[in-house]
């Protein structure tokens, strides 16, 4: 297992729109998938896109762990997205704190508004096309990683610069936001 260093903001590849993958089953593509899978978890990430390891390809991986601190009560398995295309975004938006491995050395997190659910079509590591409708933290991670393929980082999106925070404040903010969300869904007496 070779853990790749996370490419940081400032490197031109982070701002470049990634190229489509020609063959999902080629050795080169499979190596990028393996490098992403091997690198994501050791860096404490729940998603990682090819530009973050210096590869200009439309590939990302996700693995949302069961982690109440991040708003994930159930968790999700490792998923590979090759040549993904977001086909639907919900009109309802949610405002939740977000971070990124590509600004990880700076330790920046901020509140970001994104659609609550998304539908994505992609090719898996087995070469088969699939369609996935996602909500919750998985939907957020998919959108975040998809943005990397478009040459964007979360700091480019809908966020208030005054909401920038440290890692410790991020976990406290997520905890408060989840508590408010649960309270708003509780039946009123």
């Amino acid at each position: 297992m070779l853990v790749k260093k996370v490419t940081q903001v400032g490197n031109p590849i982070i701002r470049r729109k990634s190229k489509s993958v020609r063959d999902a089953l080629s050795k080169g593509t499979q190596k990028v998938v393996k490098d992403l899978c091997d690198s994501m978890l050791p860096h404490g990430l729940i998603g990682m896109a090819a530009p973050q390891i210096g590869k200009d390809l439309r590939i990302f991986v996700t693995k949302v762990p069961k982690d109440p601190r991040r708003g994930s009560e159930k968790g999700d398995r490792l998923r590979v997205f090759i040549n993904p295309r977001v086909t639907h975004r919900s009109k309802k938006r949610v405002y939740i704190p977000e971070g990124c491995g590509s600004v990880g050395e700076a330790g920046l997190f901020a509140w970001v508004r994104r659609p609550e659910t998304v539908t994505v079509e992609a090719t898996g590591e087995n070469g088969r096309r699939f369609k996935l409708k996602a909500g919750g933290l998985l939907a957020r991670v998919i959108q975040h990683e998809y943005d990397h393929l478009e040459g964007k980082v979360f700091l480019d999106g809908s966020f208030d610069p005054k909401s920038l925070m440290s890692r410790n404040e991020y976990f406290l903010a997520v905890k408060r936001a989840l508590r408010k969300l649960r309270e708003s869904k509780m039946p009123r007496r």
Side-chain angles (χ1 to χ4, degrees):
M1 177 167 91
L2 179 63
V3 177
K4 298 281 190 174
K5 186 173 173 22
V6 181
T7 305
Q8 297 296 297
V9 169
N11 184 310
I13 199 164
I14 293 295
R15 294 299 190 176
R16 197 177 308 143
K17 189 170 180 174
S18 298
K19 298 173 187 160
S20 293
V21 172
R22 291 179 189 229
D23 181 1
L25 298 176
S26 74
K27 284 184 181 181
T29 301
Q30 293 296 310
K31 176 154 179 20
V32 171
V33 169
K34 182 175 181 355
D35 288 347
L36 286 167
C37 293
D38 288 349
S39 301
M40 177 176 56
L41 296 178
H43 285 294
L45 304 177
I46 57 179
M48 191 172 214
Q52 292 181 285
I53 60 168
K55 300 296 180 182
D56 190 15
L57 294 169
R58 297 188 71 76
I59 304 170
F60 68 81
V61 297
T62 64
K63 186 172 191 320
V64 177
K66 180 179 176 181
D67 185 352
R69 292 184 320 162
R70 283 181 161 149
S72 176
E73 300 296 329
K74 293 188 288 186
D76 188 58
R77 65 181 175 83
L78 176 69
R79 294 182 187 266
V80 175
F81 299 79
I82 300 170
N83 292 333
R85 191 170 58 90
V86 174
T87 59
H88 182 264
R89 292 175 172 89
S90 66
K91 290 191 187 317
K92 184 177 179 185
R93 309 262 188 234
V94 289
Y95 203 52
I96 296 175
E98 225 174 272
C100 178
S102 289
V103 298
E105 290 177 10
L108 295 176
F109 296 80
W111 287 84
V112 179
R113 186 178 316 278
R114 290 193 187 269
E116 184 176 43
T117 63
V118 293
T119 303
V120 63
E121 294 178 6
T123 300
E125 72 277 14
N126 58 8
R128 289 192 212 116
R129 293 288 298 165
F130 68 91
K131 183 176 184 175
L132 174 69
K133 182 176 181 180
L137 187 55
L138 180 59
R140 180 157 294 261
V141 174
I142 288 169
Q143 293 172 80
H144 180 107
E145 301 311 328
Y146 186 82
D147 281 354
H148 277 301
L149 304 182
E150 296 295 309
K152 301 175 188 174
V153 295
F154 80 102
L155 296 172
D156 299 335
S158 176
F159 90 99
D160 176 359
K162 293 178 184 173
S163 75
L164 286 171
M165 65 189 95
S166 70
R167 182 175 188 80
N168 290 340
E169 289 300 318
Y170 161 78
F171 284 115
L172 291 171
V174 169
K175 190 175 183 178
R176 287 190 296 266
L178 292 171
R179 185 174 35 239
K180 276 186 180 180
L181 185 62
R182 280 192 285 273
E183 289 171 358
S184 71
K185 291 183 178 183
M186 289 182 160
R188 304 209 188 265
R189 293 180 188 215

